[in-house]
Structure formats: structure tokens, C-alpha cells
């Protein structure tokens, strides 16, 4: 069992599907999450392989703006889930220091937002992926993250989509090691 806090800076890019024309883009937004997870490392692989499953409460400063007549979704909160296979490529003899890499799919479900006008724009489930490079010192670990998702925001015409790209830092503590 582990607890984890994450801070990301992110930007989004909105585009029209037919010709991939850029419509809106914005950067330097912030995303934070706090959650818990489980790290499973099978004994037969000498603790080189593992799988981390996370669940977190996440907040976004705003989600993607879809059309000129609509406001971007402000102060959005979501439940976030990640399934991250892990490979440890360095570990000292006492197993107190390790360098590892994780990569896998992510899923977010929007639970609230405080946008005043939401006409013709709705939320789907947010799907994406995450890649992390991290280090573990005993029970404490930190990772540098890169992730992308489809923003979950769809316009009424379904021809306008948006992609969110995040870069961030996670800090965590393994309670059950």
C-alpha cells in the first residue's frame, strides 16, 4: 500500500479532426492529485518487475476550450486511475535504493467543474497514458512523469477534439514494505 502526491504543469491543444488544424492552445496550467495505490512485485523476478495500481483525486485548473463561443472548463475535479507496469533497472544489494521506469494507461472520470456555461460541450471519460522515471530510497519514492490524454471534452459536432500534455513530479511513501 502506498500514498502519493503529484503536481503537474500542463497545456492543451484543440484541433479539428478533418484537417488537424490548431484552433486553441494554452500552456502553464496546473494539475494536482492526491491518492493511494498498490505496488505488487512478484518474488520470482528478484523484485525487477512490478505493477502499480493508483487511484487519486485530481484537480485541473481548466480543461480544453473547444469553440470560440464557449468558456474553458474551470476548476475541474476528477477521479484518476492508472495501471503502471514497472521495471527496476538498478537496485543496490540491500534493496534500499532503486531506479525504475513505469509506463501504462490512465483513466479519469470528471466528477465536478465550476464552468458557468456548458452548452453543447460535454465530458466523456478521459483516456491517456503515462510514462514515469523514478527512484526509491527505502520507503520513500519520487518520479518524474510525462503523460498525455484526450481531455475527455467533446463538442456537439464531434469534429473538434483536444489533447492535454502534462509534465510533473510525484512524491510517495510505501506504507507496507
Amino acid at each position: 500500500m502506498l500514498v502519493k502526491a503529484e503536481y503537474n504543469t500542463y497545456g492543451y491543444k484543440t484541433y479539428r479532426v478533418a484537417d488537424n488544424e490548431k484552433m486553441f492552445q494554452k500552456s502553464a496550467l496546473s494539475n494536482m492529485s492526491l491518492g493511494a495505490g498498490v505496488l505488487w512485485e512478484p518474488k520470482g523476478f528478484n523484485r525487477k518487475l512490478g505493477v502499480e495500481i493508483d487511484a487519486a483525486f485530481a484537480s485541473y485548473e481548466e480543461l480544453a476550450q473547444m469553440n470560440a463561443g464557449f468558456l474553458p472548463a474551470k476548476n475541474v475535479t476528477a477521479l484518476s486511475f492508472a495501471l503502471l507496469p514497472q521495471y527496476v533497472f538498478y537496485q543496490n544489494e540491500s534493496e534500499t535504493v532503486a531506479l525504475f521506469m513505469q509506463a501504462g494507461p490512465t483513466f479519469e472520470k470528471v466528477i465536478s467543474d465550476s464552468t458557468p456555461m456548458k452548452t453543447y460541450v460535454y465530458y466523456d471519460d478521459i483516456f491517456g497514458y503515462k510514462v514515469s522515471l523514478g527512484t526509491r530510497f527505502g520507503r520513500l519514492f519520487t518520479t518524474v512523469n510525462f503523460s498525455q490524454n484526450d481531455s475527455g471534452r467533446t463538442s456537439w459536432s464531434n469534429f473538434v477534439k483536444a489533447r492535454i500534455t502534462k509534465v510533473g513530479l510525484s512524491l510517495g511513501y510505501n506504507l507496507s514494505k
Side-chain angles (χ1 to χ4, degrees):
M1 183 75 176
L2 51 93
V3 291
K4 194 177 200 180
E6 186 172 321
Y7 177 81
N8 295 296
T9 182
Y10 72 95
Y12 64 77
K13 191 177 293 184
T14 304
Y15 58 94
R16 192 170 26 223
V17 173
D19 53 9
N20 205 19
E21 177 188 351
K22 256 189 287 182
M23 300 177 77
F24 302 101
Q25 64 182 26
K26 196 165 186 179
S27 60
L29 299 167
S30 63
N31 163 248
M32 293 172 275
S33 66
L34 183 62
V38 175
L39 176 62
W40 177 61
E41 294 174 312
K43 298 289 182 201
F45 294 100
N46 201 20
R47 298 190 64 180
K48 289 282 191 188
L49 298 177
V51 176
E52 184 178 320
I53 301 169
D54 291 334
F57 178 76
S59 69
Y60 284 89
E61 190 174 331
E62 70 179 54
L63 285 184
Q65 179 177 349
M66 300 302 285
N67 296 313
F70 303 113
L71 297 172
K74 298 271 189 186
N75 300 321
V76 176
T77 55
L79 291 177
S80 172
F81 302 94
L83 175 65
L84 302 169
Q86 174 178 294
Y87 176 72
V88 176
F89 53 88
Y90 169 78
Q91 189 164 263
N92 68 355
E93 290 294 323
S94 63
E95 296 183 356
T96 57
V97 176
L99 297 174
F100 61 91
M101 183 176 171
Q102 297 174 319
T106 61
F107 170 77
E108 293 182 68
K109 183 74 172 173
V110 174
I111 53 177
S112 74
D113 76 274
S114 60
T115 308
M117 183 172 69
K118 295 184 251 185
T119 313
Y120 304 120
V121 178
Y122 60 92
Y123 288 107
D124 283 333
D125 296 331
I126 302 171
F127 292 99
Y129 68 90
K130 182 177 186 177
V131 177
S132 302
L133 185 62
T135 184
R136 196 169 42 226
F137 298 103
R139 292 181 178 210
L140 186 65
F141 63 91
T142 183
T143 60
V144 176
N145 309 307
F146 173 83
S147 63
Q148 275 193 332
N149 65 44
D150 64 2
S151 85
R153 201 114 197 258
T154 305
S155 69
W156 64 274
S157 67
N158 216 17
F159 293 115
V160 179
K161 299 283 185 186
R163 183 177 304 121
I164 293 176
T165 302
K166 299 190 269 186
V167 176
L169 180 69
S170 297
L171 297 172
Y173 188 77
N174 194 341
L175 298 170
S176 62
K177 193 167 186 175

